[in-house]
Amino acid sequence: MEAMQDARQYAPATARNRDAILEVLSQILPTTGSILEISSGTGEHAVYFSPHLQPRQWIPSDPNPIAIASITAWQQHQPSPNLVAPLTIDVTEPDWSDRHQLQDQNIQAIVNINMIHIAPWTACLGLMSGANRILPEGGILYLYGAYKQNGKHTSPSNAEFDASLRYQNPEWGVRNLEEVIAVAAEQNLTLQKVHPMPSNNLSVVFQKTIAIAT
């Protein structure tokens, strides 16, 4: 009998970083509502985080059909009642945050892990503008990944990583944290905290704020 094809993809870094990320998420996420994960990749983070973060709903998403298939396969392998079916979302599309699937979802937080450096800068811009439209006042945007600080790499390994990314695609690369913070501020997303993480990564936490007219 021929074995059924398993669509699950594997990212080796997930097992190394998931507990450290979960510790931060447990501290900073709102206690209720839905969490939208942008660029869920393999889906391994989604199936690991969701049982620990109940009763919050976890909504995974990705623009890649192979990733969507992997997320779905992981959900079938490790189901959780608060983990919903993945959405196909590309944050470089100008209207992504107006998708009907996102309406009435009570999204209180957006989580984005390891996307901004493995994507064109337009993905960062689209993520920020969409988060501004989707999140309520007090909502949280969480980013995880490698960043330069003050225009400099934080380690030789990050410099090598940046060079390899740019070799694969000139539009990719480790971003300057200060530039990401500035773009967020333009979209009413105020920096709350930067958490140092293992392997020279950072957790960057923003909160949606409403400007008070004067």
Side-chain angles (χ1 to χ4, degrees), residues 49-157:
F49 294 155
S50 52
H52 292 89
L53 295 173
Q54 297 183 69
R56 309 169 185 90
Q57 294 283 305
W58 190 277
I59 307 171
S61 74
D62 205 274
N64 188 328
I66 295 174
I68 293 294
S70 178
I71 298 164
T72 302
W74 273 108
Q75 284 182 298
Q76 293 169 349
H77 186 72
Q78 294 177 221
S80 182
N82 63 322
L83 179 58
V84 304
L87 304 178
T88 299
I89 291 177
D90 182 348
V91 294
T92 64
E93 295 178 353
D95 61 346
W96 74 266
S97 59
D98 298 326
R99 300 285 295 277
H100 67 87
Q101 299 101 320
L102 298 178
Q103 307 305 313
D104 303 319
Q105 289 284 2
N106 189 27
I107 295 170
Q108 297 292 318
I110 295 175
V111 169
N112 182 235
I113 298 168
N114 284 335
M115 178 196 80
I116 287 179
H117 53 273
I118 313 178
W121 182 242
T122 52
C124 178
L125 299 178
L127 173 65
M128 297 300 181
S129 62
N132 184 24
R133 290 192 292 270
I134 290 174
L135 291 175
E137 184 175 7
I140 295 295
L141 171 64
Y142 170 85
L143 307 179
Y144 172 89
Y147 293 92
K148 297 178 187 176
Q149 291 186 283
N150 299 313
K152 297 180 181 180
H153 289 293
T154 59
S155 70
S157 62

